[in-house]
Amino acid sequence: MRSFAYVRPPDVAAAVRAIAAEPEARFLGGGTNLVDLMREGIETPATVVDITGLPLADVEELPGGGVRIGAAVRNAELAAHPLIRARYPVLSQALLSGASAQLRNMATVGGNLLQRTRCPYFYDEAAACNRREPDSGCGAIGGLNRDHAVLGVSDACIATHPSDMCVALAALDAEVEAESVRGVRRVPLTGFHRLPGDAPHVETDLAPDELVTAVELPAPVTTTSRYRKVRDRASYAFALVSVAAALEVRDGTVTAVRLALGGVAPKPWRAHEAERVLTGAPATEEAYRRAAEAELTAAVGRPGNAFKIDLARRTIVATLRELGREGS
Ligand code: SF4
């Protein structure tokens, strides 16, 4: 690991001044991804700005039924929070399905948002990887791509976004708050992460000098929600496919639906097409199938990962079926 300077600002204003003075610096929260990346030589910041002392660790109720979550709230704490468990079960379940108990105790909401892909070629300095080194190629496209994406990919990168939490946040219409020396701005979660296009190394909408300070959730459309994660083993594994869904059914008709997918795209994938098909449709197996089909029409499979398309279809249908029974 390369040596680096370490600073610990006393407040948010000092933190954003520190990063503005040196945009190549990195913020350190729980460290569960950054420290790994520094050990591997993929991140080599000259300065690490430790933000664990900033007052960003609260979960607060908002007027109107929403919730504000500080960026430094630990994943385990957020999953167990009574407001989250009662109003956003999908978020609590997504958090508990991620990583291990030890990692959830350390990892923060801000760090979870900004974690980088787990594509093995990205971590292998001997391999070609456009995301790690622009214009070097992509080892995964003609290589081992069982874990890779089928939606939103490009000829430059087919990596998946690894977060479970972000899939639930995408379904819940979350907004990310970011602060810099220029002020505070808010970005919808669905626009926060970028698709790779021809610049996969640009992963988010965040400017290099911005600090994520909070995530806000509007009041839920329904508390009938679920996170279903399909993976190779029961714990401590990334999703092959995951589904975050909230479904409201009245008199046999879908009156509200929020759906997002994980493990299948380079960003948390909000399933707008499926939502369009389902809204106002009868809450039936047939409608769930049509919605899943509509969302996955654009999917592109490769020899290693084509199975994900059918797996995603079936996981969407199974999740909606379960919620439909509960919510009617
Ligand atoms: Fe790199 Fe993306 Fe290709 Fe993986 S899929 S090797 S992250 S460019």
Side-chain angles (χ1 to χ4, degrees):
M1 195 190 281
R2 223 178 66 171
S3 57
F4 55 88
Y6 170 87
V7 295
R8 190 173 158 85
D11 52 37
V12 170
V16 296
R17 278 200 306 274
I19 204 98
E22 196 184 332
E24 293 303 312
R26 290 286 181 272
F27 290 124
L28 175 72
T32 55
N33 193 208
L34 179 64
V35 173
D36 282 352
L37 292 165
M38 289 172 67
R39 274 201 207 103
E40 298 291 333
I42 296 164
E43 290 276 9
T44 53
T47 301
V48 166
V49 181
D50 182 345
I51 52 172
T52 53
L54 303 186
L56 300 173
D58 292 326
V59 178
E60 302 159 64
E61 193 167 9
L62 295 172
V67 173
R68 179 181 170 86
I69 303 161
V73 174
R74 306 281 172 174
N75 285 193
E77 190 192 332
L78 186 61
H81 196 283
L83 270 178
I84 301 302
R85 285 167 54 106
R87 292 188 196 168
Y88 311 96
V90 62
L91 177 56
S92 179
Q93 292 163 16
L95 285 158
L96 290 174
S97 77
S100 64
Q102 291 92 334
L103 286 167
R104 292 194 294 270
N105 284 338
M106 283 302 291
T108 63
V109 166
N112 195 326
L113 277 173
L114 292 167
Q115 65 176 303
R116 304 191 72 185
T117 185
R118 264 47 177 203
C119 171
Y121 298 95
F122 176 77
Y123 287 84
D124 177 358
E125 282 195 273
C129 174
N130 290 322
R131 193 172 283 260
R132 174 171 32 77
E133 197 180 324
D135 301 322
S136 64
C138 169
I141 287 179
L144 298 173
N145 47 41
R146 180 174 183 273
D147 293 329
H148 288 71
V150 294
L151 287 166
V153 296
S154 72
D155 290 342
C157 180
I158 58 170
T160 52
H161 193 269
S163 171
D164 295 293
M165 179 194 81
C166 292
V167 183
L169 293 181
L172 291 169
D173 295 313
E175 284 194 340
V176 179
E177 184 183 275
E179 187 163 339
S180 70
V181 289
R182 296 178 300 286
V184 176
R185 73 182 179 111
R186 297 161 71 91
V187 188
L189 190 281
T190 48
F192 183 78
H193 300 96
R194 290 194 184 180
L195 291 177
D198 55 9
H201 60 290
V202 185
E203 295 175 357
T204 70
D205 187 53
L206 205 65
D209 65 347
E210 284 182 307
L211 170 67
V212 173
T213 48
V215 170
E216 287 195 4
L217 298 175
V221 292
T222 170
T223 55
T224 308
S225 66
R226 172 121 339 137
Y227 189 71
R228 184 185 271 241
K229 178 173 178 177
V230 183
R231 49 187 159 176
D232 281 331
R233 54 178 188 263
S235 74
Y236 200 30
F238 294 100
L240 290 168
V241 166
S242 68
V243 173
L247 186 74
E248 183 186 65
V249 176
R250 286 200 190 143
D251 300 326
T253 298
V254 175
T255 48
V257 58
R258 301 287 185 274
L259 196 66
L261 308 178
V264 293
K267 61 183 274 185
W269 188 265
R270 180 71 179 263
H272 290 296
E273 198 51 33
E275 291 179 2
R276 188 188 61 73
V277 170
L278 273 177
T279 306
T284 60
E285 184 94 4
E286 204 265 324
Y288 303 152
R289 277 186 211 287
R290 269 194 295 113
E293 202 59 57
E295 192 61 47
L296 290 156
T297 307
V300 178
R302 289 182 164 74
N305 69 1
F307 75 97
K308 284 190 175 189
I309 301 173
D310 190 46
L311 185 59
R313 220 179 263 132
R314 287 185 284 117
T315 310
I316 292 170
V317 173
T319 311
L320 293 171
R321 183 195 302 131
E322 217 168 65
L323 287 174
R325 283 183 192 140
E326 277 172 33
S328 13

